[in-house]
Amino acid sequence: MDAVTLSRLQFAVATYFHFLFVPLTLGLSILVAIMETKYVRTGIEEYKRMAKFWGKLFVINFAIGVVTGITLEFQFGTNWSRYSKYVGDIFGSLLAIEATVAFFLESTFIGVWVFGWNRLSPKAHAVCIWLVAAASNISAYWILTANSWMQHPVGYVIRNGRAELSDFWAVISQPYAILMLLHVLSGAYIVAGFFVMGVSAYHLIRRQELSFFKRSFRMAAIFTVIFALAEILVGDIHGKEMMKSQPTKAAAAESVWETTKGAPMYLFVVPDEANERNKVEILGIPKLLSWVAFGDSEGVYRGLKEWPKEERPPVAITFWSFRIMVALGMLFALISVIAWLKRKNPENSPGFLKFLIYCIPLPYIALALGWTVTEVGRQPWIVYGMMKTSDAASSVGASQVGLSLAAFVIVYSLLGIACFYLLIKNARKGPVPIPALDR
Amino acid sequence: MLETIWFLLWGILWAVYFMLDGFDLGLGTLAPFIARNDNEKRIIYNSMGPFWDANEVWLITAGGVTFAAFPTAYAVMFSALYTPLLLLLFALIIRAVALEFRSKGESEGWRKLWDVCHFLGSFVPALLLGVAFANIFKGIPIDQEGIFHGNLLTLLNPYGLLGGILFVLLFLVHGALWLAIKAEGDLETRAAKAASGIWLILLIVAVVFLAATWFATGLYLNYLSNPILLIIPVVTVLALLATRLFINQRAFWKAWFASSLTIVGATLFGVVGLYPNLLPSSLNPAYSLTIYNSSSSSLTLKIMLGVALTFVPIVIAYQIWSYYVFRDKVTKDDLASDEAY
């Protein structure tokens, strides 16, 4: 394999792994902040125990999220130096702003929060976790703005042999970025909601700490249902934006080969890239695809054949990732509505609770698939329509990249195992017993 | 002008990173040699507990600012230093995880494993950062396309290694002083002893390094043409001497601040000597990356300056506050809490 392919694989490994930890951080920080706020407001000790228990799981997860994020930033320089040189004027500044504005805030106050339970007033302590939650979400905004710029570059001119910033406001306020932010954040909140519901379910089935986990479950159920339903709406709007700004990705996501007016949606499709057609297309609903994509059943859906082969993304991966992601999104809405209906006495539905435990990984999978659509669907471009991925890599040797890729796989696998071991261990153990009962 | 401001800010960011993460990395390197039991190890871990994460963000910001303000230099520097940088990242990853995971498992094997990781994750970055910066001061073989003609061994030249050793020693003294501040009784005394012992080696290596710099780099040229700038190395050396003085007086906070000033001064000595180069080419001075041929557009530099001037003072304010909150020694109560490392 050449250095470009290896670098792509390495970036994929690093990103997928990083994004196993980030979404839980984004969502759980908010849930913990709500718990602690309730403690400060009501004085009910159980809320404090909740904040501590879920906070501990949060912190285990947070550490890996932070350090695996650094490798992403550095890889732009190590593996994608031509890209960095060409677009650093815009892309680099977004990353630098993220660190200055958000990451410092997050990392400083997480330290104060974890170690400061006895050193700060309850109110000040609760403010710390809110700052952590706010900072991690602000951080998501800057990172996603940077990614959106790769999907849909705006606010630049080509000058001095590179892309230079011409309109900062256009870069940070473009609809693609805002929609992507809402899309990713909702997804992350669904991850956190399912995580809290799943872990609570484990204890509720065993009737341990009943009141503690009922409260947790209820809070998570309300949180999840809001964002699972919102995600359908946001996903739809984001999809419509993608139609406009990235037509090749949209065509690949639905595996549409011929440009069609009033395109139908097939419930089951198997793409056949080699022959530029679909092997299977069954259960078609006339005009539905055009209606979903444009809000107009007579809309013209551009097919992949409009572009030369070398400008099309890999179809099968993009298509399947998109399909399964959408199906999972629908499923999350359904499950979270059921969970919301059962929020008051979840312990009476042990079958459903058991099912919820097995649901914990699903939102993670949905997010990984979503990123696959985003990044693979953008190919062959690293910056859509501007720079090809094949022109973006560093001139480092394939053997060097091969070695570092192997190191990434090994180190990350071991870390993953250690982290999941700790998470599962601490999640199963449940909250620290109340001292009075302990004696 | 804008480029020069950003060059200085760039240098200061790295200097602050070395000053702050320096004590974590140094103490992590020192830990296996000074801690005698699990309790002492936990004091070490908890002494940096509330801070290490925020300290590391200075590295991310320094990296990000290199990317934003000098994208060409970022691209060339990071791809040329491919292997050492990835080693640095892996080391920092296992350090972070070691800190976070170690005390969340009870078995001896589990803790030993993470102790080893913590040592490697502290020592390796300290060494590599020194090697990297010494090579930047010296210049590396890059051609006019910015392509690096060398390998890891090119970087492990005598001057590079000397820089690595210098950094490790600077951080060791800095970390030992931090432990003297945070620990009580016997451990405090041993930490102070370690600090003054290592200080002597540091002094010798620093003198050798300053002399080697004369032969291996062009850093002194800026100082010869602007003698006023010599105040930087002079203050640095005075700060290094003051460190020892304060250790003898058992004024550990003062010694730590003097050591901080030493680290900042040493970094700025190199950076100011480098100006206006960001990465000199050892093949041909014409291929060197300077602040002029590798900076961002002036619009980007202006926006970034606005962001930096607004937010960095805020960052500094709340970080000082966080150090103030946790200014006391690590106590038994701290170790007993459920959140402690």
Side-chain angles (χ1 to χ4, degrees), chain B residues 171-213:
Chain B
F171 292 176
L172 275 172
V173 170
H174 205 42
L177 287 171
W178 186 254
L179 185 58
I181 290 171
K182 301 297 274 189
E184 294 173 308
D186 185 38
L187 186 59
E188 176 187 346
T189 310
R190 271 185 281 138
K193 229 178 176 173
S196 67
I198 301 165
W199 180 89
L200 196 64
I201 310 173
L202 169 64
L203 182 70
I204 297 164
V205 172
V207 171
V208 175
F209 184 82
L210 283 175
T213 300

Side-chain angles (χ1 to χ4, degrees), chain A residues 122-160:
Chain A
K123 250 189 203 160
H125 194 260
V127 169
C128 289
I129 189 72
W130 276 113
L131 287 173
V132 172
S136 47
N137 283 272
I138 294 168
S139 165
Y141 164 76
W142 288 103
I143 295 299
L144 294 175
T145 301
N147 184 273
S148 297
W149 192 84
M150 301 168 79
Q151 312 293 339
H152 186 230
V154 291
Y156 69 96
V157 286
I158 301 292
R159 198 166 45 203
N160 302 324

Side-chain angles (χ1 to χ4, degrees), chain A residues 59 62 67 70 73 77-79 81 89 103-105 107-108 114-115 119 162 168 400 404 415 422 425 432, chain B residues 53 56-57 60-61 63-64 74-75 78 82-83 93 96 100 104 295-297 300 318-319 326 334 338-339:
Chain A
V59 170
F62 179 83
V67 285
I70 307 179
E73 183 197 6
T78 52
N79 293 68
S81 64
D89 195 57
F103 208 8
F104 270 127
L105 195 65
S107 299
T108 308
V114 169
F115 291 89
R119 284 175 200 264
R162 63 177 179 179
F168 186 64
Q400 230 175 336
S404 63
L415 285 189
L422 265 192
K425 186 183 122 171
V432 179
Chain B
D53 194 353
E56 203 170 292
V57 179
I60 300 167
T61 307
Y74 172 80
F78 279 45
Y82 190 91
T83 307
I93 288 175
E100 209 55 72
K104 291 190 174 70
S295 75
S296 277
S297 65
T300 295
Y318 60 64
Q319 287 206 341
F326 300 100
D334 291 327
D338 188 44
E339 284 77 25

Side-chain angles (χ1 to χ4, degrees), chain A residues 7 10 52 56 59-60 62-64 66-68 70-79 81-85 87-120 128 159 162 164-168 394-396 400-401 404-405 407-408 411-412 415 418-419 421-422 425-426 429 432, chain B residues 13-14 45-46 49-65 67-68 71-72 74-76 78-83 85-86 88-90 92-94 96-97 100-102 104-106 110 114 145-148 294-301 303-304 307-308 311-312 315 318-319 321-322 325-331 333-334 337-341:
Chain A
S7 290
Q10 181 169 304
K52 282 199 166 196
K56 191 167 191 178
V59 170
I60 293 171
F62 179 83
I64 300 207
V66 170
V67 285
T68 53
I70 307 179
T71 57
L72 291 184
E73 183 197 6
F74 278 39
Q75 270 190 88
F76 289 111
T78 52
N79 293 68
S81 64
R82 289 200 180 85
Y83 166 80
S84 300
K85 214 189 262 191
V87 304
D89 195 57
I90 300 154
F91 190 84
S93 56
L94 296 172
L95 296 193
I97 293 174
E98 186 264 344
T100 317
V101 172
F103 208 8
F104 270 127
L105 195 65
E106 189 179 3
S107 299
T108 308
F109 284 94
I110 190 73
V112 178
W113 186 77
V114 169
F115 291 89
W117 283 97
N118 301 321
R119 284 175 200 264
L120 297 177
C128 289
R159 198 166 45 203
R162 63 177 179 179
E164 291 194 351
L165 185 67
S166 64
D167 184 350
F168 186 64
S394 305
S395 53
V396 289
Q400 230 175 336
V401 185
S404 63
L405 173 61
F408 265 103
V411 173
Y412 277 13
L415 285 189
C419 180
Y421 161 76
L422 265 192
K425 186 183 122 171
N426 281 286
K429 200 164 76 180
V432 179
Chain B
L13 282 172
W14 282 107
Y45 279 98
N46 283 284
F51 312 112
W52 69 270
D53 194 353
N55 292 348
E56 203 170 292
V57 179
W58 286 91
L59 172 66
I60 300 167
T61 307
V65 158
F67 196 174
T72 309
Y74 172 80
V76 172
F78 279 45
S79 54
L81 302 175
Y82 190 91
T83 307
L85 263 179
L86 285 172
L88 171 78
L89 290 182
F90 285 126
L92 288 175
I93 288 175
I94 62 169
V97 178
E100 209 55 72
F101 285 7
R102 180 193 185 270
K104 291 190 174 70
E106 284 80 25
W110 172 269
W114 294 116
E145 300 295 319
I147 292 166
F148 176 59
S294 57
S295 75
S296 277
S297 65
S298 66
L299 178 62
T300 295
L301 292 180
I303 290 172
M304 288 299 302
V307 172
F311 284 94
V312 173
V315 170
Y318 60 64
Q319 287 206 341
W321 173 77
S322 84
V325 170
F326 300 100
R327 66 195 174 279
D328 298 331
K329 287 183 181 290
V330 178
T331 62
D333 277 355
D334 291 327
S337 89
D338 188 44
E339 284 77 25
Y341 284 155

Side-chain angles (χ1 to χ4, degrees), chain A residues 260-264 286-292 294-300:
Chain A
T260 322
K261 183 168 181 283
K287 308 195 176 193
L288 182 62
L289 185 54
S290 281
W291 184 76
V292 170
F294 305 102
D296 169 12
S297 56
E298 292 304 322
V300 178

Side-chain angles (χ1 to χ4, degrees), chain B residues 35 39 63-64 72 74 110 126 134 143 178 235 256 263 305 312 316 328:
Chain B
N39 189 53
T72 309
Y74 172 80
W110 172 269
D143 63 20
W178 186 254
V235 167
W256 186 79
I263 292 175
L305 191 61
V312 173
I316 292 172
D328 298 331

